[in-house]
Amino acid sequence: MHEIVTLQLGHRSNYLATHFWNTQESYFTYSASEESPVDHDINFRPGIGSDGSETFTPRTLIYDLKGGFGTLRKINALYDMQEEQGIPKGLWDGNTAVQRQATINQNEYQRSLDEGLPPAPLSTETVRYWSDFNRVFYHPRSIVQLNDYELNSSLMPFENWDTGEELFSALDKEHDLLDRDLRPFAEECDQLQGIQIFTEADSAWGGFGARYLDRIRDEFGKTCIWVWGLEDGARNLREKHLQKTINTARSYQDISSQASLYVPILDPPAKLPSYVSLDRSSDWHTSAVLGTGMETMTISSRLKSQDGIRKTLREIEGALNINGNQKIANLQMSVMDLEALDDDHEKENHLGQNDLRIRGQEHANTMNIQQRHELHSTNASLAALDMDLNPGLSPRHQGRVRKPHTFGTAIINRGNNFSQLTHIGSDGQSRNQRRLVGIPVIETFNTSLLFPLLDSFPLIFGTEAHRPNSVAVRTSLSTTSAVAVRIKQIETVVSRAVRLDEREALSNSLGELIEAYEDGWDSGSDEDDD
């Protein structure tokens, strides 16, 4: 069935994953006359509830700190077992004092869902936790609270990479997290397509996730593993910013080396087009933008096979890792309101308003006519999308960097409003020819399934007067030389900040990543020209 198992590590990651699961739940159909284009078995597992009825719950593990789950209960309506009351008897038989955390009240949205009523509207004031806009029931085994640290604690902040490493090591030594948590979900799969991990990359969750990934890779050596690494896009004080940069560097070093594909994403994105109305202080809002791109980029891995066509995670990845060691990809996106854009001319203008062409003209003299035509087609197809969701360069570096070279690109079009693109350079011979003359390898996938805008989704695309029910989306993942430029910038910062005993290993690891994205191309930086 090509199942995918998900790991969610950290509070910000759970915001992103909640949008993902809400969208998956919306694809279910409940009428014999309707058939969903999505294969639900890929992301959902069948089970039996406490009343003997059949259930369908996500194949996911949700890790968060104490206080991070909000109103979400481990025991829910599907598994409404009697919870243990009182204090278990042990060696102590004296007087006991019970201290309980203050109860977090449900918001109106969750109460209306529980009562089967039309859902109350959500707002940035009523969404306090990711569970406040959650629409999905989870199996009790999916909920894993880490009680050693408390969310947003000023006394014991969960911010340092080493803290996350140490916590994972301690818990794994005591419980064997792979056996206790992940293995039960993996063993239910008939044919595991892959594992996707949402994690914060610039906090202690980066260290926790890196050590978890080590254990997974040891056990599932050849399994496809995609990691979505969230980086904080908010402004921070200098000391905190430096700590986050060091954590990010170690995520590049440790996570990207073990993952099949590592996609760093900025939360919130640095720049957004005018049609996106975003409250940057709301995790609910910012994760909705990221969720639109991430869910669309992977939609082909969940669709039912049509005429033998389904793009698995491994197949998407194959269009990106051209030289065998390019496992860090950039995510871009554009959104189109179907009702507001009616003619093809407007649509093309919308997608190409910031038209940054792919480099490759340097090799024009070595191309034959067909290759020149392919380069022209490639440039037309890869006009830059208007939302760049990956972390960019610092402002002082942006004006000093040349246009990056693209090695490989995977494009997903959902909705019939985008021009149909062809598969370019997917076979081995064509791939090598295009690489030699500097033309990117492109893989595309088109589906008519639109991205649904649910009642749990904030009003960021549209207005109160014009709120679309769904939108067409184009996303792309690309491996480009811009990765090398950013890692160089990070390496320059952290080489002066990390301890001497760590500096050489970290610099060497980052240097190897940089080389993978240069590979005959300069890094695109003019910094040394001054």
Side-chain angles (χ1 to χ4, degrees), residues 161-177 207-212 214-215:
W161 174 280
D162 293 330
T163 302
E165 278 189 313
E166 292 165 3
L167 178 59
F168 178 84
S169 298
L171 293 173
D172 193 45
K173 183 178 180 180
E174 182 178 358
H175 302 291
D176 193 336
L177 295 186
F208 188 95
R211 298 291 74 81
Y212 208 147
D214 286 344
R215 291 275 283 113

Side-chain angles (χ1 to χ4, degrees), residues 39 44 104 119 132 214-215 234 247 261 308 319 335 354 379 397 410 415 421-422 424 427 432 445 448 527:
D39 185 347
F44 286 80
I104 301 173
D132 285 336
D214 286 344
R215 291 275 283 113
N247 292 340
L261 190 73
V335 173
N354 297 312
N379 285 338
H397 288 82
L421 305 178
T422 57
I424 303 176
D427 62 277
N432 290 333
F445 186 89
S448 60
E527 289 184 37

Side-chain angles (χ1 to χ4, degrees), residues 223-325:
T223 300
C224 178
I225 303 175
W226 281 32
V227 180
W228 304 86
L230 285 164
E231 298 180 27
D232 188 3
R235 291 184 177 274
N236 292 289
L237 296 176
R238 181 181 179 84
E239 183 177 349
K240 188 172 183 180
H241 176 73
L242 180 59
Q243 180 61 63
K244 285 182 173 292
T245 303
I246 295 172
N247 292 340
T248 299
R250 296 185 69 175
S251 288
Y252 275 107
Q253 176 191 26
D254 286 13
I255 295 179
S256 68
S257 64
Q258 295 283 29
S260 306
L261 190 73
Y262 179 58
V263 186
I265 45 181
L266 193 64
D267 182 22
K271 294 182 179 180
L272 293 170
S274 59
Y275 64 81
V276 180
S277 302
L278 194 72
D279 182 344
R280 291 181 172 270
S281 65
S282 168
D283 289 335
W284 177 46
H285 272 221
T286 61
S287 59
V289 175
L290 305 181
T292 304
M294 174 268 154
E295 201 275 335
T296 295
M297 197 62 231
T298 58
I299 185 64
S300 66
S301 67
R302 298 184 293 278
L303 294 178
K304 293 176 180 176
S305 180
Q306 297 178 353
D307 300 323
I309 299 174
R310 175 198 277 149
K311 282 290 179 185
T312 64
L313 296 180
R314 181 74 74 187
E315 289 170 327
I316 298 172
E317 172 194 318
L320 303 172
N321 192 359
I322 304 304
N323 296 331
N325 55 358

Side-chain angles (χ1 to χ4, degrees), residues 456-468:
S456 61
F457 196 88
L459 184 57
I460 58 175
F461 305 134
T463 63
E464 288 292 351
H466 173 67
R467 181 166 189 159

Side-chain angles (χ1 to χ4, degrees), residues 372-431:
R372 287 171 185 265
H373 176 72
E374 286 189 0
L375 177 61
H376 177 76
S377 299
T378 298
N379 285 338
S381 299
L382 292 181
L385 306 183
D386 54 17
M387 278 184 266
D388 204 344
L389 305 184
N390 63 286
L393 303 175
S394 65
R396 76 182 187 88
H397 288 82
Q398 288 175 355
R400 310 172 72 179
V401 177
R402 299 172 191 149
K403 194 178 300 182
H405 169 70
T406 297
F407 298 96
T409 295
I411 298 173
I412 304 292
N413 298 314
R414 63 191 309 172
N416 295 322
N417 303 75
F418 295 105
S419 58
Q420 298 295 303
L421 305 178
T422 57
H423 298 259
I424 303 176
S426 56
D427 62 277
Q429 182 179 0
S430 177
R431 178 191 299 260

